[in-house]
Amino acid sequence: MKKITDLLTTTKIISITGNETVTITDITADSRQVKKGSLFICLDGATVDGHTFAQKAVDAGAVALVVSKDVTVSSDVCIIKVEDTRQAMMDIVPSFFDYPANKMRMIGVTGTNGKTTTTHMIRHILRSQGHKVGIIGTIHIMIEDKSYPIHNTTPDVVDLQHILNQMVNEGVTHCIMEVSSHALALGRVSGVEYDTAVFTNLTQDHLDFHKTFENYLAAKCKLFEQVSASNQVKTGKGAVINIDDPYGHRVVEATTAPTMTYSTQGKGTLNAHDVTMTSKTSTYTIEFDGKQYPIKMNTTGLFNVYNTLAAIGACLYENISMEKIDEALQSFRSVPGRFELIEEGQDFAVVVDYAHTPDGLQNILQTAQEIKESKMIVVFGCGGDRDATKRPIMGRIAAEFGDTIFVTSDNPRTENPNQIVKDVEVGVKEGLREGSTYEVVVDRKEAIKKAVRSARTGDIVIIAGKGHEDYQILKDRTIHFDDREVAREALKEK
């Protein structure tokens, strides 16, 4: 609970009227979440204006409102007028929860691909050393072994501070977050002071939101600017950066924090070399601080070598020795929907992966190319209401690697799925190799089943795009759909 006057010292106000002595028991920008004693923030969004719900919030028990427009409610309600309610929310909410991020070690992981696997690797290593760990990411929120659903990779500032506060109350010592470019651009992580920032890579994605690649890069760099800001409460900062990425040097320039770079090409302070892979494992040597450490992982793919390097760098900043890190990594298994092998006793491989960007798709197809014994069959599509420019690019990549390609639907959302697959098909036709074939099967379930039915001994079937998701978003509804379930069903039928 907080007195309203205590909260107002954190943001710039124009005026305050009504009852200035109220005590706030909760804070929200969603009128449906208002309870007795709440402070309701009236956000003026692109489609909904929170000011129109002011009376509804008061009726539900709100004792104070933050507004940027005039509202008419009963006189005993405290009305705080500000210039920008979103900025006020970013200022007030962390203060209401007493800045929970300052009470834990905060590790932020950003990049286009690899964030989920990297965060789970870090979690695995930290827990092996007895730390209590929370995780916030694409798949879920975790507090130790308890899992909760999530709707955005990085929740909005109200939800995020709620979650961080819950973690503190449950004794979490380390919180690992996937930090999206949207969250950095929109200020969702306001009030969070990170101790370590990790950069995995940067390839085309989210240009529907950022408009230009330069804006996308600038959003990612905000995390590294923050970790080196001068007004820090905590000490022991660090940045872990993939220096093999074409934009790694730009990220290095964005921070003044102590920096560890990683590479598979000998360019970093943390390097991997002599990499060998099978369909299920990878072995390589890590070179760090003049010493060499042999690593054997129960994951495969060069992209996972990079994810492992990122996780190692973050844990070195947590003062965990390479020997302890190596020991922990030996028991790490893949994350659901990340190059996940589907096994039903078949004599060919079936892999489900979340790859939904050009770089992500290329990474998994290159890995499949290296470990396949015969043909590669690729099933993929692109989401609707998202960056349409990547559709033909992903089509060309699939055609470059795949022997048989099934172009299908992903999450069409409000777009016509037939138009989406046509956009993808343009790239497939351009990149199709001699002897390779493709087929458009808009129904995703049928596409997966056709792919599995067509597989022969030694083939590898890659089902890309949705990974861990157990739903499909259509124009008028969301239905249950899990690539892994469909693949298993098809294998059992076969």
Side-chain angles (χ1 to χ4, degrees), residues 117-175:
T117 299
T118 300
T119 54
H120 280 74
M121 283 183 174
I122 296 169
R123 172 183 179 268
H124 185 79
I125 297 166
L126 290 172
R127 293 191 77 198
S128 76
Q129 300 306 299
H131 297 297
K132 294 194 74 171
V133 181
I135 198 165
I136 301 171
T138 306
I139 298 177
H140 50 202
I141 297 161
M142 290 194 80
I143 301 178
E144 284 288 88
D145 289 319
K146 291 181 292 185
S147 181
Y148 305 89
I150 192 166
H151 304 292
N152 292 316
T153 299
T154 311
D156 68 32
V157 66
V158 178
D159 289 341
L160 177 58
Q161 294 297 325
H162 265 289
I163 294 161
L164 294 174
N165 188 59
Q166 182 181 349
M167 287 183 177
V168 169
N169 290 339
E170 295 194 28
V172 168
T173 58
H174 292 70
C175 174

Side-chain angles (χ1 to χ4, degrees), residues 194-256:
Y194 292 95
D195 299 284
T196 301
V198 180
F199 170 74
T200 59
N201 52 45
L202 197 70
T203 59
Q204 182 174 333
D205 200 15
H206 302 307
L207 296 193
D208 54 316
F209 174 79
H210 294 289
K211 306 306 179 189
T212 69
F213 195 86
E214 191 64 29
N215 290 343
Y216 183 36
L217 172 61
K220 294 293 188 186
C221 284
K222 284 179 182 289
L223 179 64
F224 296 84
E225 294 164 1
Q226 192 266 20
V227 86
S228 56
S230 58
N231 58 337
Q232 304 283 313
V233 173
K234 299 183 283 182
T235 58
K237 305 294 179 177
V240 182
I241 298 168
N242 177 3
I243 203 63
D244 289 348
D245 186 88
Y247 300 94
H249 290 284
R250 293 280 299 276
V251 181
V252 169
E253 292 166 5
T255 187
T256 58

Side-chain angles (χ1 to χ4, degrees), residues 173-185:
T173 58
H174 292 70
C175 174
I176 314 156
M177 285 181 62
E178 293 183 44
V179 188
S180 69
S181 56
H182 287 70
L184 290 161

Side-chain angles (χ1 to χ4, degrees), residues 278-405:
T278 71
S279 61
K280 297 181 181 180
T281 64
S282 55
T283 58
Y284 43 95
T285 301
I286 296 285
E287 185 179 347
F288 176 69
D289 202 22
K291 296 180 182 178
Q292 299 201 352
Y293 304 87
I295 299 283
K296 183 172 182 178
M297 294 287 295
N298 293 301
T299 58
T300 192
L302 185 61
F303 56 91
N304 270 326
V305 176
Y306 278 101
N307 294 337
T308 307
L309 287 169
I312 290 170
C315 291
L316 286 169
Y317 276 124
E318 296 307 312
N319 298 313
I320 302 173
S321 69
M322 268 300 308
E323 289 80 6
K324 293 291 186 184
I325 291 171
D326 183 12
E327 184 181 334
L329 286 172
Q330 290 174 31
S331 58
F332 179 79
R333 297 293 184 272
S334 63
V335 177
R338 269 58 178 182
F339 213 82
E340 183 176 353
L341 288 161
I342 308 300
E343 298 280 5
E344 289 292 338
Q346 74 276 11
D347 57 2
F348 55 90
V350 177
V351 175
V352 170
D353 193 273
Y354 188 55
H356 59 285
T357 66
D359 181 63
L361 185 62
Q362 183 166 330
N363 280 340
I364 64 162
L365 296 186
Q366 281 179 331
T367 295
Q369 184 90 306
E370 292 166 6
I371 62 178
K372 74 172 186 175
E373 297 173 18
S374 188
K375 291 185 176 181
M376 188 193 307
I377 301 164
V378 183
V379 183
F380 85 106
C382 290
D385 299 338
R386 297 294 186 269
D387 180 10
T389 63
K390 69 182 182 183
R391 293 171 188 170
I393 298 171
M394 291 179 69
R396 283 193 295 273
I397 291 168
E400 178 185 346
F401 290 96
D403 298 297
T404 303
I405 300 138

